[in-house]
Amino acid sequence: NDTCLNMDKYSIPLIDISLFSPPYANCFDPFEVYKIELWVGEFVTTYEELRHKRKTALTSNLNADVTKNVSDQHKTELLDNILNYLSGEELWNKRIVKMLNVYFNDMFVVLEKIYKNTQKDGYCVIVVGNSAYGNLAIPTDLILGQLGQKVGFNVSEIIVARNNETSSQQHLKLEEYTEYLRESIII
């Protein structure tokens, strides 16, 4: 009943393997999608608790706290190029660039915490789907691989689990990037 961003608050033994699927940076709000389950399971009992969880969770949508300050520790050349490109595009919401920047910062923090708690020959396996904004596919799998390397992991493989389908209109706009519209497993 806490965010993975706070995992260092807990006494966690060294990990052999971490296998997880973080929220995708696709603007779907999991707190909205699973709101009924959160209430029925008594994970939240007030709207204030729901708002607090939404704002303190890993950022992956525009209902999260996209205004929080982040450092540049997570920046890579690929991510910088994407954020700079999107900054010049007319997006359906002007906060998308900030949301993506905070998302990758949050993921860097999570990967750093996992790395510190992973045994020397341990593994981290991430299942993630890429998204698209401003007629550009965002290669989240490649960026997370780079972030994993920045914190000390060695990326041995990125497996394309499946290709994602888009609408015919978006498919035409993203034609040269369709290979990046996928769900992948990063090892």
Side-chain angles (χ1 to χ4, degrees):
N1 202 21
D2 199 354
T3 172
C4 56
L5 296 167
N6 291 334
M7 74 173 77
D8 52 355
K9 288 185 352 186
Y10 303 96
S11 177
I12 300 172
L14 286 180
I15 301 166
D16 292 320
I17 185 168
S18 299
L19 172 62
F20 65 100
S21 182
Y24 299 176
N26 58 9
C27 286
F28 289 111
D29 180 355
F31 290 94
E32 190 60 36
V33 173
Y34 297 110
K35 186 167 36 178
I36 293 172
E37 290 87 342
L38 291 169
W39 283 94
V40 170
E42 297 180 356
F43 293 100
V44 297
T45 57
T46 67
Y47 283 106
E48 183 55 40
E49 285 178 3
L50 182 63
R51 275 190 294 279
H52 175 74
K53 287 189 183 306
R54 181 178 273 144
K55 295 296 183 187
T56 58
L58 192 139
T59 301
S60 66
N61 61 79
L62 296 171
N63 290 328
D65 183 6
V66 299
T67 64
K68 68 182 173 184
N69 291 322
V70 297
S71 69
D72 286 340
Q73 64 186 350
H74 66 289
K75 293 289 184 84
T76 67
E77 184 178 350
L78 176 59
L79 179 57
D80 271 345
N81 288 340
I82 289 168
L83 295 177
N84 287 335
Y85 169 80
L86 291 176
S87 293
E89 292 297 300
E90 192 169 320
L91 304 173
W92 60 269
N93 189 302
K94 62 185 177 184
R95 297 179 307 139
I96 288 173
V97 174
K98 179 72 172 163
M99 184 269 301
L100 288 171
N101 189 41
V102 175
Y103 173 81
F104 286 111
N105 179 78
D106 284 358
M107 287 304 302
F108 179 85
V109 169
V110 169
L111 288 170
E112 194 172 44
K113 292 172 191 262
I114 290 172
Y115 181 78
K116 288 177 183 175
N117 284 296
T118 300
Q119 292 189 25
K120 183 179 181 222
D121 293 322
Y123 288 89
C124 180
V125 181
I126 306 168
V127 179
V128 71
N130 295 345
S131 53
Y133 299 101
N135 300 324
L136 179 69
I138 311 301
T140 303
D141 52 359
L142 299 179
I143 297 169
L144 290 182
Q146 290 177 342
L147 297 183
Q149 289 175 317
K150 280 185 91 164
V151 303
F153 284 112
N154 295 313
V155 177
S156 62
E157 192 172 10
I158 296 178
I159 302 167
V160 176
R162 68 180 181 93
N163 292 319
N164 291 336
E165 296 295 322
T166 63
S167 67
S168 58
Q169 301 91 331
Q170 192 169 8
H171 186 77
L172 290 173
K173 292 177 183 177
L174 294 166
E175 192 167 9
E176 70 180 284
Y177 303 110
T178 54
E179 71 179 281
Y180 296 105
L181 295 175
R182 62 190 182 208
E183 191 171 46
S184 303
I185 303 166
I186 309 160
I187 303 172

